[in-house]
Amino acid sequence: MIDIIWHLLIGVVVSFAGSIPLGTINLGVVQTTVSVNLKAGLYFALGATLIELIYSTIAIKLIGVLMTQTHLDSIIRMVSVPVFLLVAVYYLKKEEKEGESRELRKGRSFLNGIFLGVINPLQIPFWVFWGSIFMSNNWISKDDFLLNVFIGGICIGTILVLTLIAFLSHSIAAKVNLKSQFVNKLIGYVLIVLGVYQLFDLLYKFI
């Protein structure tokens, strides 16, 4: 029982801490909450967490295989750079459609969360890195069941942060009249920064 609690707790803590820094998913929750409503923001968070579940499962379950793929991180970064920049352009040019109902946008929020989660595969090397550290130091077991508990903790940590962000952005938007157009621009600029950073990091490794 202690092992189960430990694996769950360490998954929650690391995922919670790793999800706090400003990123596309966090801003996506803010944008959805501001432009639609709180419920839509939570749907978005759920969609993003589903992808976190898939990526973290791939990383943790296949950690032995993935660690032998020395170029995996570079390949993921190569794919991420153009994707980040293209999506950045989309958000910078995105405008609210006046004829589109909030119910329709709310219904798409879950899919939008999945989409932004999918285009952020950097979660895989992130969890390969931390998973290898935890396993090498015997902080987590290689037992299949306990690894599932750890992955469950990862998902709980992610959804906790995103839910907190949704509630905070909902509260702040109500007080300061935060505009979704501003958040769209912010997401676009963050994606550009991430894309450029990944590009320079790649160039640095190959030079």
Side-chain angles (χ1 to χ4, degrees), residues 9-28:
L9 184 62
I10 195 170
V12 170
V13 171
V14 176
S15 179
F16 190 95
S19 300
I20 290 176
L22 186 67
T24 55
I25 303 299
N26 308 39
L27 289 174

Side-chain angles (χ1 to χ4, degrees), residues 142-182:
K142 294 181 181 179
D143 176 78
D144 198 53
F145 173 73
L146 290 176
L147 286 180
N148 288 335
V149 173
F150 175 68
I151 292 168
I154 290 173
C155 294
I156 292 172
T158 300
I159 197 67
L160 282 176
V161 170
L162 298 183
T163 298
L164 179 62
I165 290 172
F167 276 97
L168 285 175
S169 57
H170 177 69
S171 176
I172 293 172
K175 293 177 181 178
V176 301
N177 194 27
L178 187 63
K179 300 295 184 181
S180 61
Q181 193 65 28
F182 168 78

